Amino acid sequence: MTKLKHILVVMMVMIIITSCKDNDAYVKATYFTMDSNGELVRPVDYRTWIYVGTPLTPNDMNNGKAAFPEFHNVYIDPMSYKHYKKTGVWREGTILIKELVSVGGKSAASGSGYFMGDFIGLEATIKSKEHFPDEPGNWAYFSFTNPTEGTLAATGKPFKTAQCNSCHNTSAADDFVFTQHYPVLRAAKNVGEEVTPENTAKR
Ligand code: HEC
């Protein structure tokens, strides 16, 4: 083998090893834990993750009985966000958190509207072929809310498919996730791993 060929082969092997390591990092970085009963341990520190948006369907715009009348602060784990920027798809091990916040006041110095009240609940969805090979899209849905006691449970059982997945399956824009309601994710899809969308001047 000539010296040049030798150098080229070594470079190619190095590139392959580096890209495998990269993919490994995505696969191995997990932000959730399942316990021995198949329940999701309540995730912590998610307010340090990537915040993606706050949808609200208030009761008084839904005949007084909205299915989900509170604010939903939605967060995604940082590794899945990075992977989504790079590939535009949700990786194995994605977790999104939905923190429920009540509607508090309806007026402020700036005018009438909906203003956040108190933290009242916590839900999550994870994409895991490992734990949920038979769920549509491998997504499973959980709640930690204990409304009577005003506390959060330590673990959450996966809901039955029809209770949560079907709505996400039929109406969510991007593989069960309602990206159409999250501007942060719309701006991030496929932009490239190293791009930071919020730093661009475009509005
Ligand atoms: C009636 C349709 C519907 C049903 C049923 C439903 N969801 Fe959702 N879900 C939505 C919509 C719409 C959004 C995005 C806007 C919002 O948060 O209100 C959403 C967002 C979410 C999110 C944030 C991440 C994402 O996928 O966008 C989680 C977590 C979530 N839902 C959990 C649940 C759980 C747990 C259940 C079952 C108890 C459930 N959902 C049932 C419509 C539904």
Side-chain angles (χ1 to χ4, degrees), residues 1 14 17 26 44-47 56-57 65 67 69 113 136 145 151 154 168 171 200:
M1 206 186 288
M14 280 172 65
I17 291 175
Y26 283 124
V44 291
D45 297 338
Y46 54 83
R47 288 182 200 154
L56 169 66
T57 48
K65 40 180 192 287
T145 314
T151 54
H168 284 249
S171 311
T200 65

Side-chain angles (χ1 to χ4, degrees), residues 55 68 72 98 123 141-142 159 163-164 167-168 176 178 182:
F68 308 102
H72 298 154
K98 184 170 104 173
E123 296 184 358
Y141 294 83
F142 307 85
F159 278 99
Q163 283 176 287
C164 309
C167 205
H168 284 249
F176 292 76
F178 281 92
Y182 310 132

Side-chain angles (χ1 to χ4, degrees), residues 14-28:
M14 280 172 65
I15 289 170
I16 291 168
I17 291 175
T18 327
S19 61
C20 286
K21 266 197 191 149
D22 218 40
N23 284 335
D24 263 17
Y26 283 124
V27 173
K28 284 189 185 142

Side-chain angles (χ1 to χ4, degrees), residues 31-33 40-55 71-78 80 94-100 119 121-127 139-144 152 168 177 182 185:
Y31 287 78
F32 62 80
T33 309
L40 180 66
V41 176
R42 177 161 59 84
V44 291
D45 297 338
Y46 54 83
R47 288 182 200 154
T48 65
W49 298 359
I50 310 296
Y51 163 77
V52 303
T54 302
F71 287 96
H72 298 154
N73 290 344
V74 180
Y75 297 83
I76 187 167
D77 76 83
S80 301
T94 298
I95 174 165
L96 290 119
I97 293 287
K98 184 170 104 173
E99 189 171 47
L100 277 49
F119 295 116
L122 191 70
E123 296 184 358
T125 180
I126 66 172
K127 183 179 177 75
W139 291 98
Y141 294 83
F142 307 85
S143 172
F144 302 93
L152 296 177
H168 284 249
V177 182
Y182 310 132
L185 293 180

